[in-house]
Amino acid sequence: MPRYRVFIVISILAFGVIFSSSVFVGASASSQAITLSQVTPTFDISRLNQPPTVIPPAQADNGAQVYWGMCMPCHGDHGQGLTEEWRDSFPPDKRDCWQSGCHGSDHPKNSFEIPTTGAPALSGAGALSRFSNSFELNHHIQQNMPLFPTGSLTSEEAWSLTAYILRMNDRQPNGFTLSEVNGSAIPVHQKVKSPQSTIPGLLTLIGILILTAIGLELQPKFDHTKPNFFHHLHPPSIPAKQSRFRYTLGAGGMAVFLSVILLVTGLLEMYYYIPTSDQAAISVETIVSLVPLGNLIRNLHYWSAQFLVIVMTIHLLRVALTGAYAPPRRFNHVLGLGLLVFTLLLDFTGYVLRWDEGIRWALVVGANLIKTIPWIGAGLYQFVIGGSEPGNATLTRFYTWHIFGLTLGEAILIVWHIFRVRRDGGISVPPPVERIEKDRITRFELLKREVLVMIIVGIILLLFSMIVPAPIKQPISDTTALTGNSRAPWFFLWVQQLLKFGDPFLLGILTPVLVVIALGVMPYLLPNANCAELGRWFPRGNRIAQILTVLLFLVILVLTFLGAISQ
Amino acid sequence: MNKTTRLSRRDFIKLSTNVLFGLSGLLGLSGLIRYFSYLPATETPTEFDLGDVASYPIGSRTVRSDIPAVIYNRQGEILAYSLVCTHLGCTIENNDNGFACPCHGSQFDRDGVVLEGPAQKPLKRLRVEVLENNMLRLYTG
């Protein structure tokens, strides 16, 4: 099959592109890693200045202030310890810190003795060698520092100091807030890449793809007759004309493929994701920054979910614009819409699982929208949110729905939808007597084409996952509501835009529901394509439905665009 | 004998079983609804100590984003408005005319009156009390 050669060539080309870009990325990363340690011959007094105030302060910025006030005199302005060079910054009569009894001749009444080894360095080679993780480091700080009076730091100060010391050593993961619960997971000595490189995972996956492609290329040469399990999922043969990509757009197959990717990557994420309000965003950060291949797996999950919405929309448009939902496929059209709704709910619950500042307002707005439903609004709100306002209970419920309830529903709908495709006689075609082209392709050929589409989609997915990381922001905290992240997720931007025009219930709940209902009843209420025109684009019979669908699509597209450009 | 008005034995049993199935289903549903009706006790604070009256001088305008609320001192009278948008609950932000909602663009003036929709209701006025020791307390409930 020449077509088969094509995708092997594509795979190898993609491999080459990614490999060369990995070299490029690696090179730029290593050039960043080189930091020049400057040696200043004369002491620069500005080194004693208070560190600048950062707003809003990260944990390490608070630590910098504490460090300046309490630790710097002994441990140095950049954690170098009590070196001779640093000691020379002291006034001449106070430089004998090496001696017992600090501050020389006039040391204060209740002063303390510096250990004879001096104050150790906190950064640089060999520093902090006795600590393996942040929890141990923090414990030491809180138990033994500052020397006078020992243990006088609050827990918050100690953690912010730990964060600052990690930053000094260039080992603080971005966006983390260290605390008792995650401290033992954050290493002191292992350099944290933030976020993790996706290259090793990409190389692994592309290797798998190429090996599979070669295997699939070779396999039929040895085994012509026996259909395997995947062949048996397909009819023995289907009409050649309707199996072309330009008719199906491959969208149904892509949707199945993306769903499988989502299932696998989602299951893998569950091993590290912690669904509590104080841990969720941190555990996502852990996946992204610490778990090997975690960043790639999360990006794949994210991009599959986004692509699934697009692919499903394309599938819906294809079915409407070819009139394929004509009887007996009316009910399957409704099942397909159900799948779209479930997918949007899965996307929204998955989006909320980040539990970072980026999702705060979308959750508040979504929750308050439920309240506006007459009669059942209050009860439904309580059922969905699990309390009087979004909180830990909401996250637990969204998690349960995302990984179990909605996923189960989606799985049942997928199986039902595909079963109905077969039950309703496969892809929509005119009845045999009215068919002009009689050519058919076998299931072997069909499966090959499907695998080809999967590989192409897989490569696109990998490229996106490498170039555009899935978003994650700082964890939601009760005290610092950040502004500027008030945009809905992109697939609900059109609803957000609608909400700007008036009544929340009419525009935010009723309108989307009516859109779905309108699409669902189309095959029942509007004229359908007659069976002779099936199996091609734009049949005359269901012209009204085609126009309606395209109009709805364009309106939603324009609203999404307006929502995206506002502010 | 009037056979047509009488239910046959078979139909009676069929009807009875259906009614029983229906009742057991309703019973199960009511149990489910009861299960989901539990509302945990709210932990959201509704009282906030604002500190000394003296820290709100005449003519001042203080935004407390943690409540969220804005506190005015107009000629000695302390006023407070909630900064929760009355449309769909986002926290509104300062602008030149008063406040604007980042989510759907509602605008309010400094006294919480709606300048521009989609919000319909004015900002909620919050009760502020001066305690004996000249401390202020705000009630959001």
Side-chain angles (χ1 to χ4, degrees):
Chain A
M1 278 289 112
R3 197 186 290 262
Y4 235 32
R5 300 270 140 70
V6 171
F7 81 70
I8 292 188
V9 170
I10 290 175
S11 309
I12 291 167
L13 277 180
F15 187 94
V17 167
I18 287 158
F19 191 76
S20 52
S21 60
S22 79
V23 172
F24 173 71
V25 171
S28 65
S30 63
S31 70
Q32 276 174 351
I34 300 166
T35 48
L36 295 168
S37 53
Q38 291 177 330
V39 182
T40 41
T42 53
F43 190 80
D44 176 7
I45 198 74
S46 72
R47 285 166 64 186
L48 300 179
N49 286 350
Q50 185 166 8
T53 319
V54 182
I55 294 175
Q59 194 180 25
D61 296 319
N62 291 330
Q65 303 292 337
V66 178
Y67 184 89
W68 178 78
M70 292 194 195
C71 323
M72 192 176 81
C74 294
H75 288 287
D77 61 336
H78 53 274
Q80 70 271 49
L82 198 53
T83 60
E84 297 220 19
E85 184 263 349
W86 180 245
R87 198 165 54 116
D88 288 344
S89 71
F90 291 16
D93 59 327
K94 292 181 176 175
R95 285 181 186 174
D96 49 358
C97 296
W98 302 120
Q99 317 296 322
S100 57
C102 190
H103 299 154
S105 50
D106 66 337
H107 78 84
K109 197 180 173 195
N110 290 317
S111 189
F112 49 89
E113 293 184 7
I114 291 275
T116 47
T117 50
L122 303 180
S123 74
L128 307 176
S129 56
R130 54 199 282 209
F131 310 108
S132 66
N133 62 47
S134 308
F135 189 85
E136 291 172 16
L137 176 58
N138 179 72
H139 186 74
H140 178 82
I141 293 173
Q142 209 163 358
Q143 294 292 313
N144 305 310
M145 290 285 135
L147 273 183
F148 176 80
T150 300
S152 62
L153 293 168
T154 66
S155 165
E156 200 181 326
E157 284 170 335
W159 278 111
S160 64
L161 272 174
T162 309
Y164 179 64
I165 293 171
L166 286 187
R167 182 195 274 179
M168 252 182 208
N169 287 279
D170 195 18
R171 274 161 200 162
Q172 197 212 10
N174 273 345
F176 264 96
T177 301
L178 290 173
S179 66
E180 289 85 351
V181 279
N182 62 20
S184 49
I186 308 300
V188 169
H189 294 290
Q190 180 191 325
K191 181 159 176 147
V192 174
K193 286 176 256 168
S194 184
Q196 268 213 344
S197 165
T198 54
I199 307 292
L202 279 165
L203 294 181
T204 314
L205 280 172
I206 288 168
I208 292 171
L209 276 181
I210 289 180
L211 290 177
T212 315
I214 295 171
L216 283 167
E217 164 76 352
L218 292 177
Q219 189 212 24
K221 297 207 168 102
F222 303 114
D223 197 356
H224 281 285
T225 46
K226 266 192 197 162
N228 63 23
F229 171 76
F230 297 101
H231 293 123
H232 269 300
L233 290 176
H234 301 80
S237 69
I238 69 163
K241 185 167 177 248
Q242 280 75 25
S243 66
R244 285 183 191 148
F245 183 79
R246 76 184 78 134
Y247 177 69
T248 65
L249 303 179
M254 286 183 203
V256 173
F257 176 65
L258 291 171
S259 303
V260 172
I261 303 249
L262 280 163
L263 188 71
V264 174
T265 51
L267 277 171
L268 291 172
E269 284 180 305
M270 280 170 66
Y271 281 80
Y272 290 103
Y273 178 75
I274 304 167
T276 58
S277 54
D278 57 344
Q279 284 284 288
I282 294 170
S283 67
V284 174
E285 283 279 10
T286 306
I287 294 174
V288 169
S289 311
L290 298 175
V291 177
L293 308 188
N295 191 26
L296 178 72
I297 285 169
R298 175 164 183 265
N299 288 350
L300 280 175
H301 193 75
Y302 174 82
W303 280 112
S304 305
Q306 318 306 315
F307 285 161
L308 187 56
V309 176
I310 296 170
V311 163
M312 282 184 156
T313 310
I314 292 173
H315 189 47
L316 175 65
L317 285 174
R318 195 279 285 175
V319 167
L321 297 183
T322 59
Y325 54 57
R329 293 178 181 79
R330 294 194 292 199
F331 180 63
N332 212 11
H333 174 65
V334 176
L335 287 180
L337 277 173
L339 272 169
L340 180 60
V341 171
F342 266 68
T343 302
L344 288 174
L345 291 176
L346 274 163
D347 267 32
F348 187 73
T349 49
Y351 163 85
V352 168
L353 291 190
R354 275 159 53 192
W355 212 253
D356 63 358
E357 281 295 340
I359 65 109
R360 180 195 278 259
W361 297 124
L363 178 62
V364 167
V365 168
N368 285 331
L369 266 180
I370 298 174
K371 261 191 203 161
T372 64
I373 304 173
W375 308 108
I376 58 163
L380 196 61
Y381 180 90
Q382 199 188 315
F383 174 67
V384 174
I385 302 300
S388 55
E389 65 176 45
N392 211 350
T394 317
L395 179 57
T396 314
R397 287 187 185 198
F398 273 52
Y399 180 65
T400 311
W401 279 110
H402 186 77
I403 66 153
F404 183 71
L406 291 168
T407 302
L408 183 70
E410 178 103 351
I412 291 172
L413 282 174
I414 288 175
V415 173
W416 199 358
H417 192 67
I418 294 173
F419 164 74
R420 287 293 308 216
V421 170
R422 291 292 300 277
R423 169 99 177 256
D424 295 337
I427 199 154
S428 61
V429 282
V433 283
E434 300 184 52
R435 231 174 273 166
I436 302 157
E437 279 182 66
K438 304 279 186 191
D439 293 348
R440 297 179 77 82
I441 60 164
T442 64
R443 54 177 145 201
F444 298 96
E445 175 60 22
L446 179 58
L447 192 67
K448 268 192 200 169
R449 292 188 189 179
E450 286 175 356
V451 171
L452 178 66
V453 167
M454 283 180 200
I455 288 176
I456 292 169
V457 172
I459 288 172
I460 296 171
L461 205 56
L462 283 172
L463 286 175
F464 264 86
S465 302
M466 186 180 83
I467 296 164
V468 197
I472 179 75
K473 297 198 166 65
Q474 53 271 68
I476 289 183
S477 86
D478 294 330
T479 45
T480 54
L482 290 188
T483 52
N485 296 312
S486 51
R487 207 167 276 162
W490 68 270
F491 45 88
F492 283 151
L493 271 178
W494 63 284
V495 180
Q496 184 179 35
Q497 187 62 25
L498 272 178
L499 282 169
K500 293 177 185 169
F501 298 130
D503 187 79
F505 172 67
L506 286 183
L507 296 168
I509 303 266
L510 205 58
T511 309
V513 169
L514 284 178
V515 167
V516 174
I517 291 178
L519 290 169
V521 299
M522 253 171 15
Y524 294 92
L525 298 184
L526 295 175
N528 280 312
N530 60 52
C531 52
E533 353 170 68
L534 286 179
R536 60 180 176 81
W537 284 88
F538 310 113
R540 202 158 289 168
N542 76 328
R543 204 36 66 80
I544 303 171
Q546 291 172 25
I547 293 167
L548 180 76
T549 310
V550 169
L551 276 180
L552 267 179
F553 177 71
L554 287 179
V555 168
I556 288 174
L557 209 60
V558 167
L559 285 171
T560 304
F561 180 70
L562 287 176
I565 58 166
S566 66
Q567 290 181 8
Chain B
M1 291 291 281
N2 189 356
K3 273 188 181 172
T4 53
T5 57
R6 290 185 53 176
L7 209 55
S8 76
R9 186 186 169 83
R10 182 186 294 265
D11 284 347
F12 174 73
I13 291 174
K14 215 175 182 178
L15 185 67
S16 315
T17 51
N18 282 348
V19 167
L20 286 175
F21 282 143
L23 282 178
S24 75
L26 281 178
L27 202 62
L29 193 66
S30 72
L32 204 62
I33 290 172
R34 273 173 55 85
Y35 179 78
F36 282 120
S37 68
Y38 168 72
L39 184 63
T42 174
E43 287 165 26
T44 322
T46 54
E47 294 181 16
F48 295 87
D49 284 319
L50 299 180
D52 204 315
V53 179
S55 49
Y56 300 88
I58 289 176
S60 72
R61 172 169 175 273
T62 314
V63 170
R64 279 281 299 266
S65 58
D66 56 327
I67 300 178
V70 59
I71 299 119
Y72 296 108
N73 187 336
R74 299 247 171 85
Q75 288 86 43
E77 188 199 4
I78 305 278
L79 288 173
Y81 291 100
S82 163
L83 290 182
V84 176
C85 180
T86 55
H87 179 229
L88 284 169
C90 298
T91 297
I92 54 176
E93 298 162 359
N94 279 316
N95 73 357
D96 299 337
N97 304 322
F99 302 96
C101 179
C103 290
H104 305 106
S106 298
Q107 308 256 1
F108 302 88
D109 74 2
R110 281 162 200 282
D111 293 309
V113 178
V114 178
L115 296 176
E116 204 177 302
Q120 302 285 314
K121 286 180 247 165
L123 292 180
K124 188 178 169 193
R125 171 97 183 258
L126 301 176
R127 188 159 61 93
V128 184
E129 262 180 21
V130 184
L131 307 178
E132 307 89 65
N133 49 1
N134 267 349
M135 301 299 267
L136 287 179
R137 180 167 288 170
L138 179 81
Y139 300 87
T140 56

